[in-house]
Amino acid sequence: MKSRDALLTKARQVLEWDAVLEALAGRTVSALGAEWSRSLPLAETLEEASTSLRETAEMVALEASGEGLPLTTFPDLRLVVERSAKGAPLLAVDCRDLAIVLGLVSDILRYLQRRRDEAPTLSAVAADLDDLPHLKCAIDRCVDHEGNIRESATPELRDLLHHANALKQKIRAKLEAMLGSPRFADLLQEQYFAQRENRYVLPIKVERKSEVPGIVHDMSASGATVFIEPRELVDLNNQIKEADLAVDREVHRILQDLSQQVAAHADALKTGLEVLGHLDCLRAKASLARPAQSLRSAGERGRTHPAQGGPPPAAGPEPPARAGARRPERSRPVRSGSRVDHLRTQHRRQDGHAEDRRPVRPHGARGATASVRAGIGHGILLRSLCRHRDAQDLTKDLSSFSAHMTDMIALLREAGSGALVLLDEPVTSTDPAEGAALAHALLVHLAERGFTVVATTHYNALKALAQSHPGFANASVEFNIATLAPPID
């Protein structure tokens, strides 16, 4: 198990799988979508890969229709939902964000309901979505779009706010009268009133503070002004404080009630967030697929895996092959030094991830661009195992040839039936005749075990396999002399 995991880890590295997932994450609109994209595993069964292809193909079609999925940026509220499930009260802005997410869920459900026949696989993905209309109505009734509690949230809150506002109007009127009174004309530093610690005060000259009985709340930075709450305002300020506290208690009660409602639907909300992240990931796949137009469902191609009992459909003129042999897809290699790009492309297509036309730059391949043509397909396979040319490891006392042999032994030992094996220059760094013989034996053995192999080689003996062994065929090779670049269609 350990050696198999190591082999698969190496395969991911050679295929630059993490780079593909990072490119996918860059096209999402949410943190959850990016998280989904970065954690995508390799498909291990035909059913998984076929489903992935159908999901992406349906999303491509919806986006191309001019009215794509109504998915906009949304926050990751999993921690908010977890807090509510533990009994913690939520903030008003948290409730506002939950209402936004529920509104987004409602829009998506209506959209997919109208397109159920066009996108049955996406509809199945969204089957677990619940827009929780009663919860959304409760939040919308209490919280506005700015994340503030509405005055109309409850009759009690409305009455308490009206009472507090009446008291504040009363004290302001009294303060205006004091500002215009001859008694304070020489005591005031300036003609205004202020608030300190939520209590109304007047700015009094520091040298005249003893002439204003009351409570000192603050002093200016220069020290020239003290902010005093005159004695005649103390009782009114106390009433305002009590009214504000009553409002705060009612707001807390409202948020507590909303939090309990959120907690009651915690599982549905968590599921909804996960599904939204999944849909965001799928739309990113569609975005990555469109430049290459590289999607076609495995179910539409027919049974192409050797174990499924049939050859793939023809993809244009191909080299002659023996009767009954499984024909490879017509693949055009990129320029010298970029063969691994071509092998990576084969894997990404079989796993349901379309390839962007942006350059892929592995070691030794500068500026080479790999792409896939729509309608050309091969089997969707259980495992993908690949090997770079040079696996030399001085820390393990392995020469390039020894490392090749070690990798091949691990591949033969660990790979299960139906694996896709990608080999770049198998069995090199040794005597050419011996290397060709070993490579010949390796490829024949892999074919006999039912693997699907894509290999690049300079060994003429391997190229002759297409004429001597059933199931082998040579891919075409072209090069544009004028542009000194491979023709990529």
Side-chain angles (χ1 to χ4, degrees):
M1 177 64 71
K2 183 177 180 181
S3 59
R4 188 187 71 138
D5 291 342
L7 195 63
L8 292 174
T9 298
K10 180 178 288 188
R12 289 175 62 98
Q13 293 172 349
V14 172
L15 293 167
E16 294 187 346
W17 186 245
D18 291 340
V20 174
L21 299 187
E22 194 61 36
L24 193 63
R27 293 174 179 253
T28 59
V29 298
S30 68
L32 272 169
E35 183 178 309
W36 256 91
S37 299
R38 293 188 179 100
S39 62
L40 283 177
L42 299 175
E44 297 189 14
T45 67
L46 176 64
E47 182 181 0
E48 288 178 13
S50 297
T51 299
S52 178
L53 282 168
R54 286 195 301 271
E55 290 170 348
T56 309
E58 289 178 7
M59 188 67 80
V60 168
L62 291 178
E63 295 296 312
S65 70
E67 187 181 359
L69 190 73
L71 181 65
T72 56
T73 301
F74 63 93
D76 182 358
L77 299 177
R78 288 174 296 183
L79 292 179
V80 170
V81 176
E82 288 176 8
R83 286 207 314 269
S84 70
K86 294 177 181 178
L90 301 180
L91 301 175
V93 291
D94 294 332
C95 295
R96 185 273 314 273
D97 290 345
L98 283 167
I100 291 174
V101 168
L102 290 174
L104 187 58
V105 169
S106 181
D107 291 342
I108 290 173
L109 285 174
R110 287 197 299 271
Y111 175 87
L112 290 177
Q113 182 64 37
R114 297 194 304 269
R115 294 164 176 79
R116 184 174 298 276
D117 294 337
E118 304 171 46
T121 311
L122 292 179
S123 296
V125 171
D128 291 331
L129 284 178
D130 189 343
D131 56 357
L132 302 172
H134 296 298
L135 176 59
K136 186 176 187 305
C137 286
I139 295 175
D140 288 341
R141 185 183 68 250
C142 298
V143 183
D144 63 22
H145 296 300
E146 299 297 324
N148 301 311
I149 295 294
R150 297 181 188 273
E151 180 181 329
S152 58
T154 64
E156 293 80 5
L157 180 61
R158 182 175 58 249
D159 293 342
L160 289 170
L161 285 171
H162 286 176
H163 176 61
N165 288 334
L167 291 173
K168 290 171 184 176
Q169 289 177 2
K170 183 177 179 180
I171 198 171
R172 288 192 186 103
K174 193 166 186 176
L175 284 163
E176 292 290 352
M178 295 172 72
L179 290 175
S181 170
R183 174 192 166 196
F184 287 93
D186 295 331
L187 304 178
L188 292 168
Q189 188 71 265
E190 295 184 52
Q191 289 288 320
Y192 71 91
F193 61 85
Q195 278 188 303
R196 292 295 185 272
E197 299 173 340
N198 293 322
R199 299 180 75 89
Y200 289 88
V201 296
L202 291 173
I204 304 299
K205 296 175 182 177
V206 66
E207 65 273 14
R208 307 290 295 272
K209 64 180 180 179
S210 60
E211 300 179 39
V212 182
I215 303 170
V216 175
H217 285 275
D218 198 6
M219 179 177 288
S220 66
S222 65
T225 305
V226 290
F227 295 91
I228 297 177
E229 177 186 352
R231 184 162 47 195
E232 52 264 53
L233 296 181
V234 171
D235 183 61
L236 201 49
N237 266 325
N238 287 343
Q239 293 180 46
I240 292 172
K241 181 66 174 180
E242 292 172 359
D244 287 341
L245 289 174
V247 168
D248 290 343
R249 283 194 297 271
E250 180 62 13
V251 168
H252 180 78
R253 188 195 67 76
I254 292 169
L255 289 174
Q256 188 69 50
D257 179 64
L258 290 176
S259 301
Q260 290 172 357
Q261 294 186 56
V262 170
H265 298 288
D267 290 340
L269 288 166
K270 289 179 183 178
T271 299
L273 288 166
E274 288 298 322
V275 173
L276 288 179
H278 190 182
L279 290 172
D280 188 12
C281 174
L282 292 179
R283 195 171 67 173
K285 283 187 182 183
S287 174
L288 199 61
R290 283 195 302 272
Q293 289 295 299
S294 59
L295 290 172
R296 190 178 180 189
S297 169
E300 294 173 357
R301 294 183 188 134
R303 304 192 316 179
T304 64
H305 188 285
Q308 304 299 317
E318 294 185 349
R322 292 173 61 95
R326 179 176 184 268
R327 293 173 295 175
E329 57 190 82
R330 179 178 175 85
S331 54
R332 299 184 176 185
V334 292
R335 68 170 66 93
S336 176
S338 301
R339 291 179 304 276
V340 176
D341 286 8
H342 186 64
L343 296 182
R344 288 189 182 106
T345 298
Q346 310 312 307
H347 169 268
R348 291 168 187 170
R349 291 179 54 229
Q350 72 90 17
D351 203 61
H353 298 280
E355 176 67 13
D356 198 342
R357 296 187 77 93
R358 293 178 299 176
V360 180
R361 294 187 174 90
H363 295 297
R366 298 179 180 276
T369 302
S371 68
V372 182
R373 290 183 297 156
I376 303 178
H378 54 70
I380 306 300
L381 305 162
L382 301 181
R383 287 287 187 183
S384 298
L385 303 168
C386 61
R387 224 198 55 67
H388 257 300
R389 290 182 61 195
D390 193 356
Q392 180 176 241
D393 191 340
L394 297 180
T395 64
K396 297 179 181 178
D397 195 24
L398 292 176
S399 66
S400 295
F401 175 72
S402 298
H404 290 177
M405 292 299 96
T406 300
D407 284 350
M408 291 303 101
I409 291 169
L411 184 150
L412 293 172
R413 182 174 60 246
E414 302 296 342
S417 176
L420 169 64
V421 181
L422 310 178
L423 298 172
D424 181 36
E425 296 284 3
V427 194
T428 57
S429 303
T430 187
D431 178 81
E434 295 178 359
L438 285 170
H440 181 282
L442 172 66
L443 294 182
V444 170
H445 182 70
L446 291 174
E448 290 174 348
R449 287 183 56 179
F451 295 163
T452 296
V453 182
V454 180
T456 64
T457 186
H458 285 90
Y459 290 143
N460 289 326
L462 299 189
K463 301 172 188 177
L465 281 171
Q467 281 70 48
S468 61
H469 286 72
F472 285 84
N474 290 326
S476 63
V477 176
E478 296 183 18
F479 192 79
N480 190 320
I481 301 298
T483 62
L484 298 180
I488 296 177
D489 299 325

